[in-house]
Amino acid sequence: MPAHDGTAHAERLLASMACTTIAPGILRNATLYSSAEPCAMCAGAMYWAGIGRLVYGLSEHRLREITGNHPENPTLNLPCRNVFASGQRQTEVVGPLLEDEAAALHDGVWGK
């Protein structure tokens, strides 16, 4: 995390950059790809940025199983689909995909 900023998740940073540099009409048809399901904060940032589609590998549930109660990843049990469903515009979600392969990226990272 840059400068120990707990809000500096890659998806949130990308959503912030996208909505300040890309036209809304383009973002509605854009796809954000992520190795793991975005957390509630990142899903909210995607929604507010107007990014129309998400494709991800590892589910939030499985990520939580991998990280346990690690202080650097106090995972919320709130799937991104629930965040998007509470909004007024549709965000298409595809995932989890290739979950075992996506989980392998975390091997040895989250010592419990």
Side-chain angles (χ1 to χ4, degrees), residues 31-32 34 53-57 80-81 91-97:
T31 301
L32 186 148
S34 181
R53 184 171 185 252
L54 166 68
V55 176
Y56 69 89
C80 68
R81 282 179 172 86
T91 303
E92 181 184 355
V93 179
V94 179
L97 300 171

Side-chain angles (χ1 to χ4, degrees), residues 1 58 63 66-68 70-73 102-112:
M1 278 180 240
L58 184 64
L63 179 62
I66 293 168
T67 63
H70 197 283
E72 289 185 29
N73 193 43
L105 296 173
H106 297 271
D107 286 348
V109 174
W110 305 102
K112 294 180 184 174

